[in-house]
């Protein structure tokens, strides 16, 4: 059953998107509380660039959340005072997908925040979240690895920063030094991998083989480079 979960490409895609989607949800919750802020404040709060926050806002707006942005001294990012987070924002299936992603991320050892995230979901959808969380706790054991494979170190922090800002990495492995554009993490039964490209071909690196990596100032267009993921 667990191998099936990993081999299902849709489930792997949900895990890859989980970090970004959780930030976007946090932005909605923060705006729903303060009603008005600035791009600078949001960028500082979520530790990303203003450009990344703007991309997040565009995605959130496309979902029907009425976020407004206005330039200038009196401008900023706002949400109407009358706006209420709708109970129908997530369907029951989407709540189930989120909880599964939370459990997988917890087993990877990214952060010890599973309980905190589930409690936040419970504030929005109490009965449904409690039911789905109980089902996962009672009927599913995620035992993919002997020890956590995601560690809070500079390698992961720099890769994630390069993802957000679409910047090349200077990456050093046990055998070589390369300049690559990071495309995606890949979760396999053998561990966590990084898909990247040098602009000519798709490259695959076990995270355990990466000694260090540095974020450069050279940008890349993720949409243009997505073609390498289909190779």
């Amino acid at each position: 059953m667990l191998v099936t979960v990993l081999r299902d490409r849709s489930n792997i895609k949900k895990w890859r998107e989980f970090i970004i989607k959780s930030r976007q949800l946090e932005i909605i919750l923060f705006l729903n509380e303060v009603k008005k802020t600035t791009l600078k404040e949001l960028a500082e709060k979520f530790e990303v660039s203003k450009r990344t926050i703007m991309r997040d806002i565009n995605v959130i707006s496309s979902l029907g959340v009425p976020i407004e942005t206005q330039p200038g001294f009196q401008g900023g990012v706002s949400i109407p005072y009358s706006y209420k987070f709708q109970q129908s924002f997530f369907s029951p299936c989407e709540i189930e997908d989120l909880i599964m992603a939370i459990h997988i991320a917890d087993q990877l050892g990214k952060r010890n925040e599973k309980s905190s995230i589930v409690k936040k979901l419970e504030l929005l959808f109490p009965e449904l979240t409690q039911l789905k969380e109980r089902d996962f706790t009672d009927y599913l054991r995620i035992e993919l690895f002997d020890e956590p494979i995601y560690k809070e170190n500079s390698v992961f922090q720099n890769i994630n920063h390069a993802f957000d800002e679409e910047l090349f990495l200077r990456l050093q492995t046990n055998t070589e030094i390369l300049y690559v554009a990071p495309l995606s993490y890949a979760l396999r039964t053998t561990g966590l991998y990084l898909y990247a490209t040098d602009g000519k071909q798709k490259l695959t690196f076990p995270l355990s083989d990466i000694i260090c990596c540095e974020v450069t100032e050279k940008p890349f267009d993720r949409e243009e480079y997505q073609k390498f993921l289909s190779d």
Side-chain angles (χ1 to χ4, degrees):
M1 179 179 178
L2 296 179
V3 173
T4 302
V5 170
L6 272 183
R7 289 178 178 171
D8 187 330
R9 293 181 63 87
S10 65
N11 288 333
I12 295 174
K13 181 180 179 182
K14 289 167 190 171
W15 180 84
R16 288 204 305 258
E17 295 175 348
F18 174 68
I19 298 172
I20 295 176
K21 286 186 175 180
S22 64
R23 183 179 65 230
Q24 292 166 358
L25 177 58
E26 290 281 359
I27 289 172
I28 297 173
L29 295 176
F30 179 70
L31 281 173
N32 204 40
E33 178 182 353
V34 302
K35 298 302 183 183
K36 186 174 182 179
T37 183
T38 65
L39 284 176
K40 182 175 183 292
E41 184 177 355
L42 287 172
E44 290 175 351
K45 178 176 178 60
F46 295 101
E47 300 180 344
V48 294
S49 70
K50 290 189 286 187
R51 185 180 67 168
T52 296
I53 290 294
M54 200 64 235
R55 283 202 302 265
D56 285 341
I57 289 174
N58 289 337
V59 171
I60 295 168
S61 296
S62 72
L63 298 175
V65 180
I67 295 180
E68 299 177 358
T69 58
Q70 294 183 345
F73 179 73
Q74 297 294 329
V77 182
S78 62
I79 198 167
Y81 280 87
S82 59
Y83 177 75
K84 300 295 183 184
F85 200 90
Q86 299 297 315
Q87 292 290 321
S88 59
F89 188 78
F90 289 117
S91 70
C93 287
E94 288 171 334
I95 291 290
E96 184 173 302
D97 291 342
L98 279 172
I99 292 176
M100 182 178 70
I102 291 168
H103 278 261
I104 293 175
D106 181 69
Q107 209 279 329
L108 288 172
K110 183 181 181 301
R111 293 185 182 91
N112 295 319
E113 293 185 353
K114 178 173 71 71
S115 297
S116 174
I117 298 172
V118 171
K119 286 179 181 178
K120 289 177 182 178
L121 280 176
E122 287 178 351
L123 291 175
L124 301 172
F125 321 99
E127 295 85 0
L128 184 58
T129 300
Q130 290 171 12
L131 177 63
K132 297 298 184 181
E133 169 64 7
R134 187 176 63 196
D135 285 346
F136 272 92
T137 301
D138 290 347
Y139 303 116
L140 178 64
R141 295 288 183 270
I142 300 177
E143 300 173 350
L144 303 177
F145 310 103
D146 294 332
E147 60 180 28
I149 59 175
Y150 193 116
K151 299 178 176 63
E152 290 294 335
N153 58 31
S154 60
V155 170
F156 283 97
Q157 291 169 1
N158 287 341
I159 292 173
N160 292 341
H161 182 67
F163 278 144
D164 278 335
E165 306 303 332
E166 297 183 4
L167 296 171
F168 270 77
L169 288 167
R170 179 185 182 276
L171 189 149
Q172 180 180 351
T173 69
N174 296 323
T175 59
E176 57 188 342
I177 296 176
L178 296 168
Y179 287 85
V180 299
L183 301 175
S184 172
Y185 288 120
L187 178 61
R188 302 178 180 177
T189 53
T190 52
L192 193 62
Y193 293 73
L194 175 67
Y195 287 158
T197 179
D198 57 5
K200 299 177 182 178
Q201 60 184 333
K202 174 182 167 184
L203 303 168
T204 303
F205 303 96
L207 264 290
S208 57
D209 286 355
I210 299 176
I211 298 173
C212 69
C213 66
E214 300 173 358
V215 182
T216 73
E217 296 183 357
K218 181 181 178 181
F220 69 92
D221 187 332
R222 181 175 299 280
E223 291 187 6
E224 178 185 348
Y225 281 14
Q226 284 293 103
K227 60 185 178 183
F228 291 104
L229 284 176
S230 60
D231 291 348

